[in-house]
Amino acid sequence: MPQATAAPTLVSTPGKRALVIGASSGIGAALVEELVRRGYAVGAVARRASELQALASRAGGKVVIRAHDVSRFAEVPALFEDLVRELGGLDLVVFAAGIMPEVERHEYDSEKDLAMLAINFGGCVAWCNEAAKLFRTQRSGTLIGISSIAGERGRKGNPMYGATKAAMNHYLEALRNRLAEVGVVVTTIKPGFIDTVMTRGKKTFWLIGPDECARQILAKAAKKKGETFVPSRWWFVGFVVRWIPSAIFRHMNF
Amino acid sequence: MSGAKPSPAPTVFDWTPARPASSLEYVEGWGMAAGSHVRVLRPRSTEELAAAFALAKREGVTLGLRGTGNSYGDASLNERGWVLDTSRMNRILAWDPRTGVATLEPGVTIEKLWKSILADGWWPRVVSGTMFPTIAGAAAMNIHGKNNYAVGTIGDAIREFDVLTPAGEHLTCDRERNADLFHAAIGGFGMLGAFTRIVLETKKVHSGDVRVRAKSTRTLGEMMAYIEAHRGDADYLVGWVDCFARGRALGRGLIHHANYVHEGEDPDPRASLTVEHQELPANILGVFPKDQVWRALRLFNHDLGMRAINFAKYHAGWVEELDEPYLQSHAGFAFLLDYVPNWKWAYGRKPRELGLIQYQSFVPKETAEATYRELLERCQRAGLVPYLGVFKRHRPDPFWLTHAVDGWSFALDFKVEPVTRERLWKLCHELSEVVIAAGGRFYFAKDLVLRPEDARRAFPSDKVERFRALKLRHDPDGVLQTDLWRRVFAAPTR
Ligand SMILES: Cc1cc2nc3c(=O)[nH]c(=O)nc-3n(C[C@H](O)[C@H](O)[C@H](O)COP(=O)(O)OP(=O)(O)OC[C@H]3O[C@@H](n4cnc5c(N)ncnc54)[C@H](O)[C@@H]3O)c2cc1C
Ligand SMILES: NC(=O)c1ccc[n+]([C@@H]2O[C@H](COP(=O)([O-])OP(=O)(O)OC[C@H]3O[C@@H](n4cnc5c(N)ncnc54)[C@H](OP(=O)(O)O)[C@@H]3O)[C@@H](O)[C@H]2O)c1
């Protein structure tokens, strides 16, 4: 009787399959390369197909690339399924996509701000929700979100960028608390200054390269850290920044 | 920074998600011993359900219907297609507190139902041992309660339903209209169409409590004699069996016998007919969080530990029996284990490898005692003793593929581990031979071990043939399939 054809069965047991969103440059690209070195099959997602192509040939190993804009939320479930099938299962997801456009001192540009909201936070929600559904039901998996030290306080410099990172922290904390009972790890990474295009031409200190950053991120996730700074010493900056009273904080220009 | 201006512009404010919602998930049977990664579609309306059928047809993919996945085995799995989950269609469409008739969308759970009707003095006429199943899942399996011998199965409480068939027909069925489909789809494990609306009769109650008494029984025969003697006066009867006891103690156990509280007996029914009165506290002894209890149970989840627990429970029964009958809430009596969140994780929770199966057989009253004694002895000889055994009395009903017989059922929970899996399946096949020889049947809601030859012999062949013919008519392309269907009814190749 059954005429309807059977779809190919996906049989998956825990292994080494990872997905990096925002993989075409910077921290994401470094993570892809590091994961390939560690024997992972990796799905790499970002808008620039050419960069992904170059990354894939540079990394060697199994890298499945897909060009996608994370603010196109409606595409996410199908793309996620496609990638997981291609990888043969999923154990690790890193959401690293983000933008930080220049914002002038007295600029209140909704187009810029809502683009950040859609990409940095909307994209995070769209992808992490898919990962959460899969990881919860298979009772395993690690989810990493790349947030920022910029999410600690509302600075004058870029109100929306910090707000999207603070929103990520809150959302990922809640996912962590939901998924803990099934042993799924959710790690929020708050980098300081990492040497990528995002920091180019800016005043920085304690700068580390994206490769070192990638290694530290994976080490922290392996230790099942919840929310954590990379490099670790940035916790001190975070601590100080949090405790500066508002009345003083508003006179600081950064 | 990539510098690229986000182009084209973000779609955040005019976002149209795909309908029905779809995601890739690991979908498993309740017992965790079977499961697969599949696409799950979750329609929220009949229109979206129809869209899911159309989509599957276009793509040439099979669909396995699923409620909340409380079937122990593979009845709501479909590793070679998609899963169509109707649990989001969960509105109560109508409720009449004068007649106790509820009109429900398929995904309304037993939990939502009782919580919605209790304050009006009603309780679902038939409930399973857990309140989490959906009404469609319950209808598709024709579930029974601890009162099956008295009130029948849930099918007997269903007045009518609407079903959407893969052929695209919306049909209303009851005992007169489309009577064949009515009697085949109830207990038809989701093979004929998707329920979209179910009209259900409930039971008037005059208190939020039932009066419970315990009776300790030294043998299976004694248990059966007690239940048989009280079939006329008890509203609920259920027996627990210590499967580790051997020899003269074989089948020893404990019966719980419950009755409704009559009108006027509860001094303050308004207080007991509340959700708060029904529910158990979130912490045991006020401090230990219940959602961690499974970790403690895990420490006992081996033969020695379970032997000790069964021993202790049996002997505690001697004491409980001496007590006066006591009052217990409906929910506490019917769904006690639901208040220990995820207790099944005590069996281990590694997908597909660890977990449990339940082997439940239904045997006519004439042959039941000898059959069940033999099942217990065979389990003990094989060194695979069930950690839990539950005994119930049933009655026949008019549904084509029903499991219920004029007789008894014995449900045996077995732990599944990679090292014992093969032996366990072999033992179950041996048990099935005994059950079939005794004229017995099986229950798809619990099954993961039945073979086509077992089903062929256990279910009446005329009913099965009519069922297949009806499926061919309403699902000519064979869109509705589950792992269970392929395993047990592996259709003859054309
Ligand atoms: C702890 C526990 C105790 C239990 N105790 C009992 C008991 O005492 N008595 C008893 O009878 N059962 C009992 N059960 C079994 C349970 O009641 C049944 O398996 C029930 O079918 C579960 O409903 P569900 O919504 O989870 O359905 P699922 O398990 O998801 O699906 C069950 C069947 O319904 C079909 N289906 C789902 N939705 C639809 C739809 N919309 N239209 C058509 N078909 C559909 C599926 O294809 C499948 O065949 C128990 C289960 C557990 C876990
Ligand atoms: N560098 C730092 O000092 C620093 C500090 C704290 C936090 N962070 C965070 O770290 C993450 C990575 O940044 P980075 O420093 O590595 O900068 P980057 O090199 O600019 O990387 C950003 C990545 O996100 C992708 N991306 C941007 N918009 C996207 C969209 N709409 N859809 C899909 N992908 C998109 C980019 O790819 P495409 O452009 O090809 O789409 C790129 O791969 C960001 O979330 C950033 O906020 C960085």
Side-chain angles (χ1 to χ4, degrees):
Chain A
M1 185 194 306
Q3 283 103 322
T5 54
T9 307
L10 173 59
V11 178
S12 160
T13 48
K16 289 185 162 189
R17 291 136 322 177
L19 193 54
V20 179
I21 318 302
S24 61
S25 60
I27 299 169
L31 276 163
V32 173
E33 291 189 69
E34 183 61 28
L35 287 164
V36 169
R37 273 195 288 277
R38 295 182 186 199
Y40 276 79
V42 187
V45 176
R47 288 167 303 181
R48 290 168 294 167
S50 53
E51 301 291 318
L52 292 173
Q53 204 86 61
L55 170 70
S57 39
R58 196 164 70 234
K62 179 165 179 177
V63 180
V64 182
I65 60 171
R66 292 286 186 276
H68 157 79
D69 181 332
V70 296
S71 65
R72 301 194 155 266
F73 312 137
E75 296 174 7
V76 175
L79 185 53
F80 179 81
E81 178 175 346
D82 168 40
L83 279 159
V84 178
R85 286 189 180 280
E86 190 72 37
L87 296 171
L90 196 63
D91 310 284
L92 173 68
V93 171
V94 186
F95 186 84
I99 58 168
M100 187 179 70
E102 289 302 329
V103 173
E104 300 299 324
R105 206 165 135 73
H106 296 297
E107 188 177 27
Y108 298 90
D109 180 339
S110 298
E111 195 180 339
K112 253 185 205 176
D113 285 354
L114 294 174
M116 278 189 272
L117 180 62
I119 293 168
N120 299 7
F121 186 56
C124 170
V125 171
W127 280 92
C128 294
N129 277 346
E130 296 310 307
K133 281 185 275 187
L134 180 66
F135 288 169
R136 184 185 74 79
T137 52
Q138 71 183 19
R139 292 189 291 280
S140 65
T142 299
L143 177 57
I144 301 176
I146 312 295
S147 170
S148 173
I149 179 107
E152 302 296 288
R153 286 297 285 272
R155 291 173 305 112
K156 288 177 184 170
N158 194 336
M160 195 56 185
Y161 181 76
T164 63
K165 297 302 184 181
M168 263 180 98
N169 297 348
H170 188 114
Y171 162 78
L172 290 171
E173 179 187 9
L175 289 198
R176 179 178 313 123
N177 293 338
R178 279 184 166 203
L179 298 173
E181 70 162 11
V182 285
V184 170
V185 175
V186 180
T187 298
T188 307
I189 300 288
K190 301 193 281 189
F193 289 127
I194 313 297
D195 188 11
T196 71
V197 278
M198 205 175 264
T199 48
R200 205 141 300 164
K202 296 201 172 70
K203 261 199 297 194
T204 60
F205 57 96
W206 291 352
L207 192 71
I208 63 166
D211 297 335
E212 178 55 26
C213 177
R215 280 192 293 275
Q216 292 192 19
I217 288 170
L218 295 180
K220 300 242 179 189
K223 284 193 203 139
K224 306 188 181 193
K225 294 274 187 203
E227 216 172 284
T228 179
F229 292 94
V230 165
S232 300
R233 57 182 167 216
W234 280 89
W235 79 264
F236 179 73
V237 177
F239 179 82
V240 171
V241 160
R242 273 182 176 276
W243 285 97
I244 299 175
S246 293
I248 296 171
F249 196 74
R250 72 176 55 118
H251 296 293
M252 303 179 73
N253 288 314
F254 63 96
Chain B
M1 197 48 234
S2 62
K5 204 170 181 237
S7 75
T11 48
V12 62
F13 299 121
D14 58 357
W15 174 45
T16 21
R19 289 278 177 249
S22 141
S23 51
L24 180 73
E25 293 175 25
Y26 179 70
V27 178
E28 65 185 350
W30 189 85
M32 302 175 290
S36 51
H37 284 81
V38 289
R39 178 182 299 187
V40 184
L41 302 178
R42 290 202 176 81
R44 293 185 305 190
S45 63
T46 305
E47 292 69 41
E48 287 187 15
L49 186 73
F53 275 140
L55 190 67
K57 197 167 205 164
R58 245 190 349 264
E59 306 255 323
V61 171
T62 64
L63 292 172
L65 286 163
R66 183 172 170 98
T68 33
N70 290 283
S71 296
Y72 277 63
D74 55 0
S76 49
L77 309 183
N78 183 20
E79 68 168 23
R80 288 163 63 191
W82 300 341
V83 166
L84 181 52
D85 172 336
T86 58
S87 64
R88 295 279 162 84
M89 299 169 64
N90 62 354
R91 289 173 305 167
I92 294 178
L93 298 171
W95 163 245
D96 186 341
R98 286 168 304 118
T99 58
V101 174
T103 304
L104 309 171
E105 283 195 329
V108 173
T109 59
I110 295 173
E111 177 181 19
K112 180 163 180 171
L113 177 65
W114 79 253
K115 288 185 175 175
S116 311
I117 67 176
L118 185 71
D120 291 330
W122 299 86
W123 181 256
R125 204 195 285 169
V126 174
V127 298
S128 46
T130 170
M131 61 173 146
F132 304 130
T134 64
I135 194 67
M141 286 303 180
N142 194 24
I143 66 161
H144 60 264
K146 300 175 176 109
N147 53 0
N148 191 177
Y149 60 88
V151 305
T153 52
I154 197 143
D156 291 308
I158 293 175
R159 242 186 219 182
E160 67 172 53
F161 60 75
D162 290 348
V163 65
L164 175 61
T165 68
E169 279 184 297
H170 292 267
L171 298 170
T172 299
C173 307
D174 59 22
R175 287 167 181 76
E176 272 89 48
R177 282 171 299 174
N178 300 305
D180 273 4
L181 192 52
F182 182 82
H183 291 100
I186 291 175
F189 50 104
M191 284 301 109
L192 301 176
F195 296 117
T196 55
R197 188 185 64 106
I198 291 175
V199 182
L200 188 73
E201 294 167 1
T202 65
K203 165 94 180 84
K204 185 79 199 161
V205 289
H206 302 285
S207 165
D209 291 326
V210 287
R211 188 167 287 114
V212 185
R213 73 192 76 183
K215 166 74 184 146
S216 175
T217 47
R218 283 165 305 179
T219 63
L220 200 61
E222 202 179 306
M223 176 174 283
M224 293 171 79
Y226 179 94
I227 292 178
E228 211 48 30
H230 287 277
R231 263 202 304 150
D233 63 77
D235 293 316
Y236 297 96
L237 283 166
V238 61
W240 162 83
V241 172
D242 172 2
C243 298
F244 285 92
R246 347 178 136 238
R248 282 203 315 189
L250 190 78
R252 72 180 180 191
L254 180 65
I255 294 167
H256 283 110
H257 164 157
N259 282 92
Y260 294 117
V261 172
H262 296 295
E263 190 164 10
E265 285 178 357
D266 183 341
D268 190 2
R270 279 237 300 275
S272 64
L273 290 168
T274 58
V275 173
E276 303 79 79
H277 177 81
Q278 299 295 312
E279 298 216 298
L280 279 67
N283 294 308
I284 290 172
L285 308 172
V287 287
F288 192 70
K290 276 193 318 206
D291 63 1
Q292 295 302 316
V293 169
W294 68 270
R295 292 185 196 273
L297 293 176
R298 178 118 182 83
L299 302 175
F300 293 91
N301 200 271
H302 43 74
D303 285 357
L304 219 61
M306 293 312 292
R307 178 189 293 273
I309 286 187
N310 276 276
F311 179 90
K313 183 172 160 97
Y314 173 69
H315 289 96
W318 289 3
V319 183
E320 192 182 341
E321 178 181 42
L322 302 177
D323 290 348
E324 289 294 299
Y326 54 93
L327 293 177
Q328 191 175 15
S329 72
H330 288 284
F333 177 72
F335 313 124
L336 192 64
L337 278 173
D338 286 349
Y339 292 97
V340 182
N342 298 311
W343 61 268
K344 66 177 179 180
W345 289 350
Y347 282 87
R349 51 178 189 166
K350 195 164 177 202
R352 274 191 298 264
E353 292 198 5
L354 300 176
L356 68 159
I357 59 170
Q358 186 174 96
Y359 182 88
Q360 187 175 22
S361 55
F362 295 72
V363 175
K365 56 183 188 300
E366 295 76 16
T367 48
E369 187 181 348
T371 304
Y372 288 138
R373 290 182 61 92
E374 177 159 2
L375 295 198
L376 276 177
E377 282 166 357
R378 279 179 184 258
C379 294
Q380 294 174 353
R381 272 205 303 275
L384 295 165
V385 181
Y387 287 179
L388 176 68
V390 175
F391 213 69
K392 290 183 200 137
R393 185 68 167 89
H394 299 270
R395 75 172 200 202
D397 57 61
F399 303 100
W400 289 9
L401 295 187
T402 190
H403 52 278
V405 296
D406 185 6
W408 304 82
S409 77
F410 198 11
L412 306 171
D413 283 14
F414 290 97
K415 179 175 184 164
V416 175
E417 289 173 294
V419 286
T420 53
R421 189 164 182 135
E422 209 172 302
R423 274 200 299 137
L424 179 56
W425 258 247
K426 194 165 152 279
L427 171 67
C428 290
H429 294 152
E430 284 168 28
L431 301 185
S432 295
E433 292 301 331
V434 179
V435 170
I436 291 166
R441 291 186 176 194
F442 304 96
Y443 186 19
F444 298 127
K446 309 294 179 69
D447 181 52
L448 193 57
V449 299
L450 223 57
R451 299 163 300 179
E453 61 266 34
D454 302 330
R456 199 159 45 237
R457 289 176 293 160
F459 290 90
S461 58
D462 58 320
K463 292 279 171 52
V464 174
E465 281 322 305
R466 284 171 73 193
F467 187 84
R468 284 187 190 277
L470 207 57
K471 178 158 173 71
L472 205 54
R473 182 166 135 218
H474 293 294
D475 182 15
D477 300 324
V479 169
L480 290 176
Q481 294 191 22
T482 55
D483 292 354
L484 181 133
W485 169 257
R486 283 186 296 267
R487 172 168 60 82
V488 179
F489 290 91
T493 42
R494 290 177 306 144

